Amino acid sequence: MESLTWTGAAGPFLNPLLAVSAAVTVIAFLAEAVLGVLDKDRRVILDREGAALLSGGARGLASLALLGGAAGCLAAVAGYLIAGLVLEGPDKGIIGWLALRFLPVWVALGVLYSVSFTFRRRLGLYGKLFDSPIGMIGFGIVMFWLFTAVFADMIATHDPLAQVSGMKNKLPGTPVRGAGPGDFAWYLLGGDNLARDVFSRMVMGAREVLKIAPAATAFAFMVGVTLGLPAAYFGGRLDTTLSFLSNLVLAFPVILLFYLLVTPEIRAAGAEVPLWGGRVWTTSIPNVLAAVLFAFPIVFFVTLWNSRFRVRPGLRNVLVGLTVVLGLWMYSGLAFNADPAGVFGMDPNLLNVFVSVVFVNSPTVFRIVRGIALDIKTRDYIAAAQTRGERPWYIMLWEILPNARGPLIVDFCLRIGYTTILLGTLGFFGLGVSPESPDWGSTINDGRKLLSIYPHPALPPALALMSLVLGLNLLADGLREESLRD
Amino acid sequence: MGQFILRRFGIMLLTALCLTFIVFFLTNLPPNLEKLAKTQGNMRMTDEQVENWLANRGYLQPMPVKYGQWLGILPGWVIEGTDGKLRGKCLRRDTPPEAAPRFCGVLQGDWGWSTRFRDEVATIVFKRLSLTGWLMLAVMCVMVPGALILGVLAGMKEGSRLDRTVSTLSIATTATPEYVSGVIFIAVFASSAVGLKWFKGTATSAMDDITFANFTLPVVTIALYGMGYIARMTRASMAEVMTTQYIRTARLKGVSFPAIVMRHALRNALIAPFTVIMLQFPWLLNGVVIVETLFNYKGFGWTLVQAASNNDIELLLGLSVVAVFVVLVTQLISDIGYVLLNPRIRIS
């Protein structure tokens, strides 16, 4: 079996097209930028009927060339993707095979976009996202990785942990030695230094990252909101204490904090407390932090229902009861690893990483929530609510919080990206995750040792992480633009 | 103003005390001490030997006592070990035990002894910090002018294609953490696989002799991450200034566009980015740790990683004091600078 080339049989036709279009795009862009800075604006001319028109000029020509070049680039990329779906076997090339492997993602993206775009007027803020090109692109990238994580089993070509002898550090497109008829015949993006498939590890890594980052961010928001609102609303000593504590955490160099919180030794430190069912809980720092931080969502929701439905005790009791039962059930599993039914549970390694990331993120959320709430507190509708005798927690959770949702949603997107970066940092320093784990940070860390000879194992996870965070940032930008508009 | 600075210094001192105590507490947990004993002594020590090793070196005293000794408000320990050797916090190899001072903590100017590097903490921190200082200086020289120019170019015509490109690029750089951009740079510019080999993939040689080839990649890697953020802030500030009445007046008077930007808009547009640049220092500190590890440049960040992974207690404490100092002083400077630059704001 021969090695795959990057572009396969379509390469000889499409590569020149791509090269020429790219060159035209770059030159036209530079020309337009320079002309723009020099302020050679188009002049207004009058045509025969006396209507005002803009003259073309050199800048107009550059704009035209820019559009043409960009269109050429897009056509070449589309050509690669289509060739990948149409051509046979080795003719597909690496890009073609990649396009084919991601087919479930393309289908899912297509369905999502067509449905959302059709009903975008009825979908509130989410629908408005489809009015902003930046937001649409960002949302597309984020959903690409989300669908990749969902369909990872269908996309990956090999077992991410399997080592195939003779495939160590092999270049992209190398045929797998001794592949049976049922196996995939190539390592699409090459092999890493332990002879595992780089492509499959990258795809599986998306699942690892997207399992932790959004959940950790959500927990950090619960903590930040539950503490930030009263700090801003009540002020005084509560505010001083909480602000000092959050500044204390923020003054820590993040990496030092990670080293101190995520070392395996720290999990063993502490007294052992016997729990029900023969389980034992250690009072180590991460476990105590988990016990404290995981309690916040329960507190948040109980206060939320209680403040709103205090005057309707029937409904209030049902909602609070449900929250407490469900919450404590999950809490016992997640924080104490002692779920009586055995449904919820968390690997101690994962718990350690999760808790540290939540702990690092929540002071920043606290500061943001506090800042916004301090501003909203002075509005007239808060004074009106106070005058009609609403309780403080009702005002905080049902007057201030809904009005702060715009900036908070934007920050939530940004923060998922930041959490992804933090998780990568942990992996980069080899902290908290098992060495086998395919998450992007550790894969980059594995690949960097031989980086100047074999760059291909480190690049795919690096680019994947970058594109996911970029997508989240663009999405946040689009949301900010659209939420400012109303 | 004087009272404000004094109060800020008080808070700073309190923060540093709390923070060092947290670090002290976490590094002195029994499993961490056991790890320290095993890496310093012998990997195959029995539990009893570990206990003796730690007791001989004063690690098994109560936590507040040890912290007091480190601060220098309690007399340093002197222990005659089970092996018959006399050890003490204040005893050094070159001075006889009688001549040693009773107190030797931070207050006396003694930052302790690094178990990882077998040297005085103060010496190590000073040496490593000066190496990182060069890196930071180079980063600032690249990042600040670059970000300001890009931000001004983008902000002077809001909505133009140049503006949109710069904005997207700055989002892209803020989305690229140092360990990603560093890896990409090494792969493209320093690897034999791509073959450009313009720069070196490691900066170890830059510790003695900084050259263009060995220092460019680390500097650009750190600068890029902060650059996008500063550029976006500058752009927002510039765009706001460009919509003000006096710029319109200048435009209607027929002043040329470059003259408007250079003479009228620029100075007012640069107030806001100043505070942002100051607040970037703590971020840079974080980036420095990653980049120094990636490029094997043995400065402050590299030392932090070494100290943390070897549970080198006194070195870690010294390093965290420096880190806290940098974070809090830059906050203070940015607050004061903001007030000085913007006469509309007063500190009460």
Side-chain angles (χ1 to χ4, degrees):
Chain A
M1 185 84 73
E2 56 189 302
S3 295
L4 291 177
T5 55
W6 276 98
T7 47
F13 310 104
L14 292 176
N15 290 351
L17 174 64
L18 184 65
V20 170
S21 326
V24 169
T25 314
V26 170
I27 294 170
F29 174 75
L30 288 178
E32 211 216 3
V34 169
L35 290 172
V37 171
L38 293 177
D39 198 35
K40 290 279 178 283
D41 262 342
R42 301 172 187 183
R43 251 161 295 150
V44 177
I45 49 172
L46 298 178
D47 74 351
R48 232 173 277 154
E49 276 106 45
L53 287 176
L54 286 172
S55 74
R59 200 172 159 206
L61 207 64
S63 299
L64 208 65
L66 183 58
L67 276 182
C73 288
L74 277 182
V77 170
Y80 286 133
L81 295 184
I82 291 168
L85 301 180
V86 175
L87 292 175
E88 286 293 318
D91 285 348
K92 284 185 200 293
I94 298 176
I95 296 180
W97 270 114
L98 289 181
L100 183 65
R101 295 306 302 187
F102 279 113
L103 191 63
V105 176
W106 304 136
V107 173
L109 273 181
V111 171
L112 178 75
Y113 264 70
S114 46
V115 170
S116 308
F117 200 77
T118 319
F119 298 107
R120 69 184 186 282
R121 294 281 163 253
R122 281 189 248 158
L123 291 170
L125 183 64
Y126 169 73
K128 282 205 199 111
L129 196 62
F130 291 86
D131 291 337
S132 130
I134 293 267
M136 237 159 88
I137 295 172
F139 185 65
I141 300 174
V142 173
M143 290 319 283
F144 174 85
W145 285 113
L146 190 66
F147 286 134
T148 305
V150 172
F151 300 119
D153 292 323
M154 286 160 77
I155 297 168
T157 50
H158 295 86
D159 179 1
L161 300 180
Q163 309 182 356
V164 178
S165 72
M167 294 304 289
K168 187 173 163 182
N169 290 328
K170 283 286 182 280
L171 290 178
T174 311
V176 175
R177 184 182 290 184
D183 299 335
F184 192 76
W186 295 276
Y187 267 11
L188 283 177
L189 294 177
D192 66 2
N193 63 346
L194 288 175
R196 296 168 299 196
D197 183 31
V198 172
F199 174 68
S200 306
R201 286 179 72 74
M202 182 196 76
V203 170
M204 285 300 177
R207 191 174 268 187
E208 296 288 315
V209 170
L210 287 172
K211 222 162 46 182
I212 308 179
T217 315
F219 269 95
F221 261 78
M222 291 284 174
V223 177
V225 168
T226 318
L227 295 178
L229 287 176
Y233 189 79
F234 295 120
R237 205 163 291 163
L238 178 76
D239 185 23
T240 317
T241 318
L242 286 176
S243 296
F244 178 75
L245 285 179
S246 78
N247 285 339
L248 191 67
V249 179
L250 288 175
F252 247 109
V254 178
I255 291 166
L256 176 61
L257 202 62
F258 277 154
Y259 259 104
L260 294 173
L261 287 178
V262 191
T263 45
E265 282 80 20
I266 206 161
R267 242 184 295 143
E272 292 191 339
V273 182
L275 293 177
W276 54 88
R279 292 185 185 85
V280 185
W281 184 69
T282 323
T283 58
S284 66
I285 310 276
N287 280 354
V288 172
L289 273 182
V292 173
L293 293 177
F294 288 177
F296 275 97
I298 307 179
V299 174
F300 175 80
F301 280 110
V302 167
T303 336
L304 189 72
W305 303 133
N306 188 41
S307 60
R308 172 91 195 214
F309 299 112
R310 203 173 47 87
V311 284
R312 292 163 66 188
L315 184 59
R316 193 264 316 262
N317 291 346
V318 170
L319 283 171
V320 169
L322 267 177
T323 312
V324 167
V325 169
L326 264 175
L328 285 183
W329 181 21
M330 285 163 84
Y331 183 67
S332 68
L334 295 177
F336 294 102
N337 201 12
D339 176 10
V343 180
F344 299 103
M346 223 173 182
D347 172 54
N349 244 332
L350 192 67
L351 181 80
N352 208 336
V353 170
F354 193 88
V355 166
S356 334
V357 172
V358 174
F359 185 67
V360 168
N361 264 325
S362 28
T364 332
V365 181
F366 165 81
R367 285 232 294 219
I368 293 168
V369 173
R370 179 178 166 273
I372 300 172
L374 274 179
D375 175 36
I376 294 181
K377 204 176 94 173
T378 57
R379 304 283 168 89
D380 285 344
Y381 52 82
I382 303 298
Q386 280 164 339
T387 318
R388 53 171 204 267
E390 299 289 1
R391 301 283 178 111
W393 279 102
Y394 177 85
I395 296 177
M396 279 184 253
L397 292 171
W398 293 96
E399 300 278 354
I400 296 180
L401 191 60
N403 286 299
R405 71 182 184 283
L408 287 185
I409 291 173
V410 171
D411 186 68
F412 188 74
C413 290
L414 285 178
R415 203 146 289 284
I416 296 177
Y418 180 59
T419 310
T420 313
I421 292 180
L422 278 184
L423 287 173
T425 314
L426 276 172
F428 180 77
F429 286 105
L431 290 169
V433 280
S434 65
E436 289 271 272
S437 156
D439 76 289
W440 292 335
S442 351
T443 335
I444 295 173
N445 185 35
D446 284 342
R448 79 185 162 98
K449 282 151 205 157
L450 289 173
L451 198 57
S452 48
I453 315 165
Y454 302 114
H456 65 267
L459 279 183
L463 293 175
L465 195 145
M466 188 180 122
S467 63
L468 173 61
V469 180
L470 178 65
L472 285 162
N473 283 18
L474 291 177
L475 175 62
D477 221 50
L479 282 174
R480 182 185 297 136
E481 219 170 79
E482 292 306 317
S483 67
L484 279 181
R485 205 167 277 177
D486 26 68
Chain B
M1 192 69 164
Q3 206 187 357
F4 166 76
I5 295 177
L6 214 65
R7 219 180 58 209
R8 288 295 290 265
F9 266 107
I11 293 176
M12 212 186 273
L13 208 66
L14 191 63
T15 312
L17 273 179
C18 291
L19 217 137
T20 45
F21 186 74
I22 294 171
V23 176
F24 204 84
F25 176 78
L26 289 173
T27 46
N28 273 292
L29 289 172
N32 275 333
L33 286 179
E34 192 184 320
K35 186 172 87 171
L36 177 71
K38 284 189 172 161
T39 47
Q40 288 298 309
N42 179 348
M43 264 336 238
R44 284 190 290 278
M45 281 204 281
T46 61
D47 286 352
E48 198 186 343
Q49 281 169 319
V50 168
E51 194 88 348
N52 278 335
W53 194 93
L54 291 174
N56 288 346
R57 284 157 185 80
Y59 285 116
L60 296 184
Q61 303 169 83
M63 192 93 66
V65 174
K66 281 190 286 184
Y67 186 64
Q69 290 170 350
W70 178 77
L71 276 180
I73 50 174
L74 291 175
W77 50 269
V78 178
I79 295 172
E80 193 175 338
T82 43
D83 50 358
K85 253 172 94 177
L86 190 69
R87 291 187 186 84
K89 180 168 164 46
C90 305
L91 305 187
R92 292 284 189 266
R93 266 162 226 167
D94 39 356
T95 47
E98 306 80 50
R102 270 188 76 222
F103 295 87
C104 52
V106 175
L107 290 177
Q108 285 79 30
D110 187 338
W111 289 85
W113 183 260
S114 157
T115 49
R116 163 69 175 78
F117 296 98
R118 299 183 192 278
D119 199 355
E120 295 280 345
V121 167
T123 331
I124 299 175
V125 170
F126 184 73
K127 195 174 110 201
R128 304 301 181 180
L129 210 55
S130 64
L131 283 173
T132 298
W134 285 113
L135 188 62
M136 292 287 238
L137 184 71
V139 168
M140 281 294 164
C141 289
V142 174
M143 184 171 82
V144 173
L148 292 183
I149 291 172
L150 279 180
V152 168
L153 281 181
M156 65 190 193
K157 272 194 194 163
E158 208 182 352
S160 67
R161 193 167 284 149
L162 184 68
D163 173 28
R164 269 176 282 154
T165 317
V166 170
S167 299
T168 313
L169 277 184
S170 34
I171 294 179
T173 64
T174 45
T176 316
E178 290 93 346
Y179 53 89
V180 168
S181 50
V183 160
I184 294 175
F185 284 145
I186 295 180
V188 173
F189 295 115
S191 76
S192 53
V194 174
L196 287 179
K197 290 201 137 177
W198 291 346
F199 306 109
K200 284 189 185 160
T202 122
T204 317
S205 55
M207 289 190 293
D208 307 315
D209 175 34
I210 294 175
T211 63
F212 187 66
N214 62 21
F215 219 46
T216 308
L217 287 186
V219 168
V220 171
T221 306
I222 305 181
L224 212 59
Y225 190 47
M227 205 152 141
Y229 189 61
I230 302 180
R232 288 187 82 186
M233 290 295 147
T234 317
R235 177 198 165 271
S237 162
M238 185 75 190
E240 202 189 314
V241 169
M242 288 305 278
T243 57
T244 50
Q245 298 288 335
Y246 71 91
I247 296 289
R248 188 150 47 141
T249 312
R251 204 142 198 194
L252 291 175
K253 266 167 40 187
V255 184
S256 76
F257 189 70
I260 290 179
V261 172
M262 299 299 290
R263 302 253 311 270
H264 298 261
L266 204 56
R267 231 195 282 170
N268 284 322
L270 291 183
I271 296 177
F274 169 78
T275 47
V276 179
I277 292 170
M278 287 321 288
L279 292 177
Q280 282 285 307
F281 270 98
W283 283 102
L284 286 182
L285 208 66
N286 216 352
V288 158
V289 179
I290 295 170
V291 166
E292 286 184 357
T293 311
L294 183 63
F295 289 94
N296 210 15
Y297 182 76
K298 291 172 180 147
F300 181 84
W302 182 85
T303 317
L304 183 71
V305 170
Q306 288 296 319
S309 48
N310 288 294
N311 203 43
D312 189 340
I313 299 171
E314 288 181 332
L315 182 56
L316 261 185
L317 288 167
L319 292 172
S320 36
V321 169
V322 173
V324 173
F325 190 74
V326 170
V327 172
L328 298 179
V329 164
T330 47
Q331 270 176 16
L332 186 67
I333 295 178
S334 93
D335 283 359
I336 296 172
Y338 195 64
V339 175
L340 291 181
L341 287 173
N342 194 342
R344 274 172 294 184
I345 298 207
R346 284 270 144 75
I347 293 171
S348 48

